[in-house]
Structures are given as structure tokens and as C-alpha cells.
Amino acid sequence: MGAGRGCRPALRARLSGTAPRGTNRHRAGETPGPENQDHDHTKRPQTSAAKRNKPARPQISLEAARLLCPDDAVATNVAAAFALSVPDFSGIREAHDTLLRKTWTAFDEALNETATKMHFQRVVGTYVASAQGVGRFYSEKVTEAKTLTAKLANDARDEDRDAPAGFESKAQRARQFAADLAIQAYALLAAAEGAVEAYLAITGEDWKPYVAHSETESVERKSAAAEMGAFG
């Protein structure tokens, strides 16, 4: 019996280079034909547009944290209105300043100047980012509490009226939550300031947030475009 006569139709088709209708020729190790290449392209994720439209991360800075977090006067007023304790701002700031300085001393000579700056830049960045994040959340909740409280004045909206005696209303819970966040943000700002002070003492330089190389290039391109636009 000849080799070709004993083969099954699918095998003969592979040997001859043709395949019967309905046979899948796209097997492992084979290059897909044109009819399959278009289908494969449609499955590839379209990430370029998503990357271009991705919102930029907010810049982390002590100045931004100070703008978002309550100051001494606001923290004192909130604590008095909601029967809360005012955090020891100076004590928290000094404690974190001392903590980072002791941490640096514990390294002895293990870190050179560059490594010290890189390490503590990131450490301080976590404190600043924490204060800024809670400060932003606090600001949002204050706005929400004001909105809900203002709606209580509208007698036509039954769902916005105060709850029965003995139950907290939605607006009251929002005010209490915002007050708790105010105290937290105030305390975390103190920790961030202490960390920034320690960085100056350790490195001799003001702390600046870490910026990725790609982000730096983007900022430089935008700056260059703005400058060229001035020429008309």
C-alpha cells in the first residue's frame, strides 16, 4: 500500500499543502494565514489611547498638604464644636523629626550621600502623601456635609429632614465624619512637617517630591511648547 493511499484525508491535505473546508490549519508552531491575521489584530488591546487619556497623578508637596489640611484655628474650632481633642501639633512634628534623625544615625556609614538622599526622599514622601491624601478627603467631606446641611432648610424635601429623636440624621453623620477627618488631617500634617524638617537636617537640602523620568520629560515638553507659542 502506498504512503499516500493509506493516509487519512486531513493528513494528506497537510502533506499536499491544501486543507479541506472547515479544517483548522492554524496549529502550534505554524504562521497564521491572512484570514486569521486580521482576526488576531482585533484581539490586541488598544492601550495607546488609554495611556494618553490617563489623568496625571496629583503632585505631592507639603504646600498642597497645608492647603488641604485644617490649620490651627480650624482644628481648634472643630475640636470644640464636636467635643474632640486637639492633637499636639508641635509634639507630633518634633517626634517625627527626631524619629527620622535617629533612623539616619542608626545607618552609621552604611549609606553614602546619594543613597541617603534617595532613601529619605521616599520616606518623607510617604508622610507628605499621607497628609495630602487625608487632607483632600477631608475637604471633600466638608463640602458634602455643607451640602447635606443646607438641604435641611428645604421643608419640601421630606427625605432631607432630620431623623426622629434618638437617631442621627444623614447630615449630622456627615458633619461628624468631616470633623473626625479634620483632626486626622491636622495630626498627619504635623507628622509631614516634622519629616520634612528632618530631611533638611539630614541632607542639607529642602525636600522635593520624587518625579519619574518620563514625567520630567513630559513637563519639559509642555514648557518648551508654551515658550515656542510665545513667538506666535
Side-chain angles (χ1 to χ4, degrees):
M1 183 180 292
R5 294 177 60 186
C7 295
R8 291 176 295 179
L11 181 57
R12 289 201 304 271
R14 287 188 61 189
L15 293 174
S16 63
T18 61
R21 184 177 300 175
T23 302
N24 183 10
R25 296 181 57 196
H26 188 194
R27 293 183 174 86
E30 295 181 3
T31 303
E35 68 279 1
N36 292 324
Q37 289 181 355
D38 291 340
H39 180 66
D40 290 342
H41 282 308
T42 60
K43 291 184 178 181
R44 295 179 182 176
Q46 303 297 325
T47 58
S48 298
K51 289 182 178 179
R52 288 195 301 268
N53 297 329
K54 184 178 180 181
R57 291 179 296 177
Q59 182 69 44
I60 301 299
S61 68
L62 185 60
E63 289 72 21
R66 285 170 173 164
L67 290 174
L68 292 168
C69 295
D71 56 20
D72 295 337
V74 172
T76 300
N77 292 337
V78 168
F82 291 88
L84 301 172
S85 298
V86 181
D88 181 3
F89 193 93
S90 298
I92 295 173
R93 181 178 57 195
E94 183 178 351
H96 285 78
D97 184 356
T98 302
L99 174 63
L100 265 65
R101 294 191 195 212
K102 287 184 176 180
T103 302
W104 170 58
T105 303
F107 280 114
D108 197 11
E109 297 180 357
L111 301 180
N112 59 26
E113 182 177 349
T114 300
T116 297
K117 289 180 180 179
M118 292 177 62
H119 174 70
F120 283 97
Q121 180 189 49
R122 288 167 171 78
V123 172
V124 174
T126 60
Y127 285 101
V128 178
S130 179
Q132 184 169 330
V134 175
R136 180 179 293 105
F137 192 41
Y138 152 74
S139 300
E140 293 172 354
K141 292 305 174 181
V142 167
T143 301
E144 181 179 322
K146 289 180 178 179
T147 301
L148 290 172
T149 302
K151 286 182 179 181
L152 293 176
N154 187 354
D155 294 335
R157 297 178 60 90
D158 293 337
E159 67 273 19
D160 293 327
R161 292 177 181 173
D162 281 331
F167 294 89
E168 291 183 336
S169 68
K170 186 176 180 181
Q172 188 175 2
R173 291 195 301 272
R175 293 193 297 269
Q176 184 65 54
F177 187 50
D180 292 338
L181 286 174
I183 299 303
Q184 294 174 30
Y186 182 67
L188 288 171
L189 178 61
E193 289 196 358
V196 170
E197 289 176 1
Y199 185 86
L200 176 60
I202 293 170
T203 66
E205 298 178 1
D206 292 330
W207 176 82
K208 295 180 181 179
Y210 171 77
V211 179
H213 183 64
S214 59
E215 295 178 1
T216 303
E217 290 181 341
S218 177
V219 172
E220 290 177 350
R221 285 196 297 269
K222 290 180 180 179
S223 177
E227 291 174 351
M228 292 305 299
F231 294 102

